[in-house]
Amino acid sequence: MPNKIPGHLHPITQTIREIYAVFADLGFEIALGPELEYERYNFDALNIPADHPSRDMQDTFWLKEKPTDAKGPHGEPLGRRLLATQTSAVQIRFMETHQPPFRTLVPGKVFRNEATDATHEAQFFQLEGLLVDRKVSLAELKGVLEHAFKKLFGPQSDIRFRPSFFPFTEPSVEVDVKWQKPGEAEPRWLEVLGAGLVHPSVLKAGGIDPTEWQGFAFAFGVDRIVMLKHGIDDIRLLYNGDLRFLNQF
Ligand code: YSA
């Protein structure tokens, strides 16, 4: 029997497009980066030097190869290659090739060498936003994110901002959304996004004068947004290719 069910976009792609529509209205334009990334963009230029404990925040798949002697546009050594652990790597690539002010949105598949469970995969999607302008505040970042979450989850969406730490932002925050996990009596918080004001050292590494320009940046964990939107209780369902699951979207 031929399969009569028409093809459709994967729920992750649908959600990336939905988030993009929210930010397109705010003037953000799409940029892309590679999945195979250099140490400089993924770590060093983001204020995460080699041997710094903050590298442990993201367990990394390194390529087994001799160090490359590849150089950036201004002769900076790009270092070893790895599977990108975060879309934040594209921040520096974008800054190196664009003059501020700008607003960009970067969808990407990222990889971490970690055990999987219901909310963690070793491969997942992020959607990064970066805005650089002359005067940028944490209040503005909060306003933009609140607007986005209202658009995505409706006006009654239950979210909270928590102080956090990323080496490439100061101050840093994380956003949680109230999650009623199917089968559980009480709702719990699910972390869905990291964000902050771009650290001056990061602007400098991207060739932007931090005395003139400021920025905010954020990254949605797209898979978790999909889970919340559709009441999915296990992230691994998004990747096992089961058509009985996928054909519901
Ligand atoms: C922070 C500041 C910025 O200026 C810009 C971006 C960021 C985010 C930072 N680059 C980062 O990757 N933070 S994170 O490790 O906490 O991941 C961001 C989001 O990705 C998390 O909130 C979560 O929703 C999702 N995530 C993280 N590990 C995951 C995962 N989703 C599925 N599986 C995993 N293993």
Side-chain angles (χ1 to χ4, degrees):
M1 275 278 282
N3 182 0
K4 296 239 176 78
I5 299 172
H8 59 82
L9 296 174
H10 192 280
I12 292 178
T13 310
Q14 293 177 18
T15 300
I16 287 175
R17 291 186 179 193
E18 211 176 310
I19 303 174
Y20 173 59
V22 174
F23 285 93
D25 284 348
L26 302 176
F28 284 72
E29 289 176 23
I30 293 275
L32 296 173
E35 288 174 9
L36 195 55
E37 188 50 283
Y38 285 104
E39 192 171 8
R40 167 175 156 75
Y41 294 118
N42 200 89
F43 290 128
D44 298 280
L46 290 173
N47 227 5
I48 312 175
D51 303 325
H52 193 275
S54 58
R55 280 209 183 181
D56 295 343
M57 289 167 80
Q58 298 175 4
D59 290 330
T60 306
F61 292 110
W62 293 94
L63 258 66
K64 277 193 182 156
E65 61 177 10
K66 291 204 181 92
T68 72
D69 54 8
K71 301 258 189 309
H74 308 294
E76 314 83 355
L78 298 182
R80 293 181 291 161
R81 292 196 298 169
L82 57 133
L83 295 185
T85 64
Q86 50 183 347
T87 44
S88 298
V90 187
Q91 287 191 22
I92 301 294
R93 288 181 174 274
F94 195 88
M95 288 181 200
E96 279 180 350
T97 49
H98 293 79
Q99 287 298 317
F102 52 70
R103 299 164 184 210
T104 185
L105 205 64
V106 183
K109 197 194 284 175
V110 296
F111 308 84
R112 295 191 192 171
N113 189 1
E114 55 183 61
T116 66
D117 62 23
T119 55
H120 293 83
E121 256 295 359
Q123 165 197 293
F124 57 99
F125 281 82
Q126 291 187 332
L127 188 55
E128 183 97 7
L130 171 67
L131 175 149
V132 174
D133 213 320
R134 288 196 188 276
K135 271 203 162 182
V136 177
S137 69
L138 189 64
E140 242 177 300
L141 168 63
K142 193 163 177 272
V144 165
L145 293 176
E146 278 170 350
H147 166 78
F149 279 102
K150 281 205 175 89
K151 287 273 182 188
L152 291 171
F153 293 106
Q156 306 306 328
S157 66
D158 207 353
I159 66 168
R160 72 174 182 193
F161 287 78
R162 267 187 298 110
S164 186
F165 169 77
F166 299 102
F168 37 95
T169 44
E170 179 57 38
S172 306
V173 295
E174 285 181 310
V175 177
D176 302 329
V177 175
K178 198 54 102 36
W179 182 34
Q180 179 59 65
K181 190 175 180 202
E184 286 189 354
E186 294 295 322
R188 53 164 123 165
W189 292 104
L190 182 62
E191 178 208 311
V192 295
L193 176 138
L197 296 188
V198 182
H199 197 290
S201 311
V202 173
L203 291 169
K204 223 166 158 184
I208 292 175
D209 180 356
T211 61
E212 199 179 338
W213 302 98
Q214 298 167 340
F216 68 60
F218 54 84
F220 286 88
V222 177
D223 308 64
R224 294 192 185 171
I225 302 289
V226 178
M227 291 171 69
L228 287 160
K229 283 187 78 67
H230 298 289
I232 298 167
D233 62 356
D234 196 318
I235 192 172
R236 292 166 290 197
L237 288 166
L238 294 170
Y239 292 96
N240 69 9
D242 186 338
L243 291 178
R244 290 168 304 177
F245 171 76
L246 289 174
N247 283 335
Q248 297 174 62
F249 299 93

